[in-house]
Amino acid sequence: MPHTADMRVEAWSPTAEGCIAEAVRAVVEGFADTTGATVVGERAYVITAESDVDLLVSVLEEVVYRMDADGEIPLDVEVGAIGSAGAGRGLSVRFRMADTGTAVPVGAVPKAVSLHDLHLRGGPGGWTCRVTLDV
């Protein structure tokens, strides 16, 4: 990114759920080498939002929150099928978490998810997403 306080990730997958999972992996790889990280457990969530793109934001906000509140980062992520949830959309997410102190820093840690230039779209070749994070 031209702005030194931003990190942008782009991801793609055959499915929207896979695209969200790849975005999580890309965000973590952007600031941490987790090769020798110590697993501390799993966390599972059901996330609801108004739209699929809002689900992407919510999942990444959970990653940022867990780093800040618990000192944990996801080593792996499983994203369940997106479906209807009341008037919006929902999905389940399971993270296998590591202690951030056991990962090697390789970049600036994200502090928030930006809504600027955000997208999650499907097309003939699969799904793509793009998200910017403030660091």
Side-chain angles (χ1 to χ4, degrees):
M1 291 290 304
H3 191 286
T4 57
D6 290 339
M7 170 182 21
R8 177 176 291 159
V9 297
E10 295 185 22
W12 52 95
S13 176
T15 65
E17 298 86 353
C19 201
I20 292 170
E22 289 301 322
V24 169
R25 292 181 187 106
V27 166
V28 173
E29 289 174 6
F31 71 89
D33 177 355
T34 59
T35 304
T38 303
V39 176
V40 295
E42 289 191 358
R43 294 197 183 269
Y45 308 94
V46 173
I47 295 176
T48 59
E50 289 186 24
S51 67
D52 291 355
V53 75
D54 291 333
L55 290 173
L56 169 64
V57 170
S58 295
V59 170
L60 293 174
E61 285 176 340
E62 188 65 31
V63 171
V64 171
Y65 174 76
R66 289 290 155 207
M67 287 185 300
D68 188 45
D70 298 326
E72 297 176 356
I73 55 174
L75 289 177
D76 197 17
V77 58
E78 296 175 21
V79 177
I82 296 173
S84 296
R89 308 287 281 160
L91 57 74
S92 61
V93 179
R94 179 177 304 276
F95 294 118
R96 187 167 57 102
M97 304 300 283
D99 181 337
T100 56
T102 63
V104 177
V106 296
V109 175
K111 301 296 180 198
V113 179
S114 171
L115 301 180
H116 176 71
D117 201 22
L118 172 70
H119 91 252
L120 174 66
R121 294 187 189 113
W127 286 78
T128 62
C129 64
R130 178 176 55 238
V131 63
T132 303
L133 295 100
D134 299 326
V135 295

